[in-house]
């Protein structure tokens, strides 16, 4: 609820016949905690999602059905193993566990009070110790457009950072909470607290990612308006920026310059089916807004639960993983303990080879909408930055290796020159058979130098051989290790 002065209060209002919202929360998973989490999820009634289980098609989406057959045909063949792994042991894929709730809760804000139906929750275990939680919500029929956006704005605040965000209650009559974070981790998924990584002191709250601004959940929405609704740029802008009520309880747009809102429209709105259906992609939401009726509305909601949900998840994961790799590189430059250059290089290579794909959809509309998501989330820019990071790491490794070789060559040159000048025969005869320790006190300066060169050469050679063996073993282990 922004505190924005001088809002234009002549805002159009619409009746929303149906509203389905999905709130996505990315989190940091404890190292090596995925297997324990999977076991706990199964004990809590979460079921592993695969396309083969057709009985899951209508289990998690209220009155809607997501066709597994159609989803299988929509994505390119090399994408399917990533987003639809065949079993829960495939660490390279999105291991999704889902549970249907179908429970009614209430949310009360300063200017909004409503019930909502919590349909289901997904817990998705991704590579690189990244997880995502998705909460599916259905709002009551015939709410106002401003109320739907206000609900979205209130529910997406995990932990209030300003006073205007803190005046809420959510839950049931017998058990309510003042923060969405507590509602999720105390009532809905209390077991998750044991698996979130709490080591990042720079995080906004436990489990959050220190390299990602995620105190507000990302929203995937499907909003069905009445057929006679007159949509314009201002109302689409409101949805993209999640502008519900201002600090006085009035619907507001959040901008006054028509040219500014038009530029926003051009960069963030896919309007192939205007003026009936619009797809809006911003840093806060990926939403479908439509005034179509009947089966078409039903189909659009199915797509937002199915194919477009997975398209978004994949690019959203790309964004988080790429930012994590960039963050790890900065930790190396700062000399933070535990960060290994070789490990980071291997992680970047595995991500590029196994995970990253710039094209994921096989159909035109899916490609075009995915391109909007990819553009808004800056995937190409982040990937180019990580590639530059990889090149820098390789150059630094080459420079360090060259320096080590130069130092080694200098040391060997010194030993070679000294050995060539003096020769080992100065004192080596005293080491044959039983060592004559009593002769050490009668050595000349040059004989002591020869003795030092011989002994230190043996020690250095032993150390170098040991390091070479250890480096070989580490390289073998690194080549077999799965960094995802």
């Amino acid at each position: 609820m922004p505190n924005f002065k001088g809002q234009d209060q002549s805002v159009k209002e619409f009746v929303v016949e149906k509203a389905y919202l999905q709130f996505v929360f990315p989190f940091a998973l404890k190292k090596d905690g995925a297997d324990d989490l999977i076991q706990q999820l199964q004990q809590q009634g979460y079921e592993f999602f695969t396309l083969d289980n057709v009985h899951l098609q209508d289990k998690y989406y209220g009155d809607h059905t997501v066709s597994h057959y159609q989803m299988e045909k929509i994505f390119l063949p090399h994408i399917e193993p990533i987003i639809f792994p065949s079993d829960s042991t495939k660490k390279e894929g999105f291991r999704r566990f889902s549970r249907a709730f179908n429970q009614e809760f209430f949310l009360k804000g300063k200017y909004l009070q409503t019930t909502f139906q919590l349909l289901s929750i997904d817990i998705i275990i991704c590579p690189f110790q990244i997880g995502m939680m998705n909460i599916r919500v259905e709002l009551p029929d015939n709410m106002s457009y401003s109320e739907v956006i206000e609900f979205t704005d209130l529910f997406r605040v995990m932990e209030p950072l300003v006073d205007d965000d803190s005046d809420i209650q959510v839950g049931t009559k017998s058990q309510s909470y003042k923060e969405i974070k507590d509602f999720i981790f105390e009532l809905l998924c209390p077991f998750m607290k044991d698996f979130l990584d709490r080591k990042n002191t720079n995080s906004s709250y436990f489990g959050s990612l220190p390299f990602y601004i995620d105190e507000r959940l990302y929203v995937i929405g499907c909003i069905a308006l009445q057929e006679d609704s007159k949509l314009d740029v201002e109302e689409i802008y409101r949805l993209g920026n999640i502008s519900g009520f201002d600090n006085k309880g009035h619907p507001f747009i959040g901008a006054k310059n028509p040219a500014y809102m038009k530029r926003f429209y051009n960069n963030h709105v896919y309007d192939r089916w205007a003026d009936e259906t619009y797809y809006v992609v911003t840093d806060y939401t990926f939403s479908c807004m439509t005034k179509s009726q009947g089966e078409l509305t039903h189909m659009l909601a199915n797509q937002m639960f199915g194919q477009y949900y997975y398209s978004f998840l994949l690019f959203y994961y790309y964004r988080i993983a790429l930012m994590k790799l960039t963050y790890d590189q900065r930790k190396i430059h700062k000399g933070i303990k535990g960060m290994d250059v070789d490990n980071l290089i291997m992680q970047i290579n595995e991500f590029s080879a196994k995970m990253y794909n710039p094209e994921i959809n096989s159909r035109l509309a899916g490609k075009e909408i995915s391109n909007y998501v990819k553009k808004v989330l800056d995937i190409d820019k982040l990937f180019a930055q990580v590639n530059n990071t990889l090149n820098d790491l390789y150059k630094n490794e080459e420079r360090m290796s060259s320096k080590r070789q130069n130092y080694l060559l200098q040391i060997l040159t010194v030993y070679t020159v000294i050995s060539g000048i003096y020769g080992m025969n100065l004192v080596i005869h005293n080491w044959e058979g039983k060592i004559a320790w009593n002769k050490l006190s009668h050595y000349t300066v040059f004989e002591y130098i020869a003795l030092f060169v011989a002994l230190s050469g043996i020690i250095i050679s032993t150390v170098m051989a040991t390091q070479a063996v250890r480096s070989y073993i580490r390289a073998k282990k690194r080549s077999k290790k799965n960094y995802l």
Side-chain angles (χ1 to χ4, degrees), residues 139-182:
L139 298 185
D141 297 348
N142 301 319
M143 292 180 68
S144 73
Y145 185 62
S146 295
E147 288 174 336
V148 170
I149 297 178
E150 180 69 5
F151 177 92
T152 304
D153 193 27
L154 294 176
F155 197 90
R156 64 190 288 260
V157 180
M158 283 285 282
E159 188 172 2
L161 301 180
V162 295
D163 292 338
D164 288 338
D165 294 332
S166 61
D167 191 16
I168 71 164
Q169 280 188 307
V170 60
T172 63
K173 290 182 179 180
S174 60
Q175 201 169 7
S176 63
Y177 302 88
K178 292 187 177 182
E179 294 182 2
I180 298 298
K181 178 192 71 174
D182 294 334

Side-chain angles (χ1 to χ4, degrees), residues 140-316:
D141 297 348
N142 301 319
M143 292 180 68
S144 73
Y145 185 62
S146 295
E147 288 174 336
V148 170
I149 297 178
E150 180 69 5
F151 177 92
T152 304
D153 193 27
L154 294 176
F155 197 90
R156 64 190 288 260
V157 180
M158 283 285 282
E159 188 172 2
L161 301 180
V162 295
D163 292 338
D164 288 338
D165 294 332
S166 61
D167 191 16
I168 71 164
Q169 280 188 307
V170 60
T172 63
K173 290 182 179 180
S174 60
Q175 201 169 7
S176 63
Y177 302 88
K178 292 187 177 182
E179 294 182 2
I180 298 298
K181 178 192 71 174
D182 294 334
F183 173 64
I184 294 174
F185 293 114
E186 298 293 336
L187 181 61
L188 301 180
C189 305
F191 63 92
M192 283 296 298
K193 293 186 294 185
D194 296 331
F195 299 97
L196 301 182
D197 188 357
R198 310 188 191 195
K199 295 180 181 179
N200 297 312
T201 57
N202 295 328
S203 302
S204 55
Y205 49 88
F206 73 88
S208 64
L209 304 169
F211 49 86
Y212 198 77
I213 303 174
D214 59 353
E215 70 273 2
R216 296 175 187 263
L217 307 182
Y218 197 95
V219 185
I220 305 172
C222 183
I223 299 174
L225 305 172
Q226 291 181 332
E227 189 174 11
D228 58 353
S229 303
K230 303 296 182 182
L231 298 174
D232 53 27
V233 173
E234 288 80 6
E235 296 310 313
I236 296 173
Y237 178 87
R238 288 187 68 195
L239 178 62
N241 285 273
I242 313 183
S243 303
F245 297 135
D246 64 13
N247 58 348
K248 295 182 179 180
H250 300 134
F252 81 108
I253 297 174
K256 289 190 174 182
N257 184 357
Y260 175 85
M261 287 185 279
K262 183 62 178 176
R263 291 195 299 270
F264 169 88
Y265 180 96
N266 293 334
N267 292 326
H268 296 273
V269 180
Y270 180 72
D271 58 359
R272 178 179 178 181
W273 296 283
D275 65 343
E276 184 179 86
T277 301
Y278 300 86
Y279 290 88
V280 185
V281 186
T282 69
D283 288 331
Y284 318 115
T285 183
F286 168 39
S287 294
C288 172
M289 181 165 58
T290 183
K291 55 181 182 178
S292 61
Q293 300 295 307
E295 287 299 319
L296 181 56
T297 305
H298 202 73
M299 183 199 73
L300 293 174
N302 292 347
Q303 289 178 336
M304 295 305 291
F305 283 131
Q307 66 181 83
Y308 293 147
Y309 168 65
Y310 272 100
S311 295
F312 165 80
L313 279 187
L314 188 58
F315 284 116
Y316 194 56

Side-chain angles (χ1 to χ4, degrees), residues 394-408:
Y394 275 128
K395 290 178 181 178
N396 288 335
E397 281 291 280
E398 289 177 359
R399 284 196 293 266
M400 294 299 295
S401 178
S402 179
K403 286 183 179 180
R404 287 193 295 267
Q405 291 178 357
N406 288 336
Y407 292 147
L408 177 61

Side-chain angles (χ1 to χ4, degrees), residues 430-447:
N430 294 326
W431 299 358
E432 295 175 357
K434 187 177 180 180
I435 299 176
W437 297 105
N438 59 330
K439 294 185 178 181
L440 290 176
S441 59
H442 302 292
Y443 278 3
T444 66
V445 173
F446 298 105
E447 288 177 320

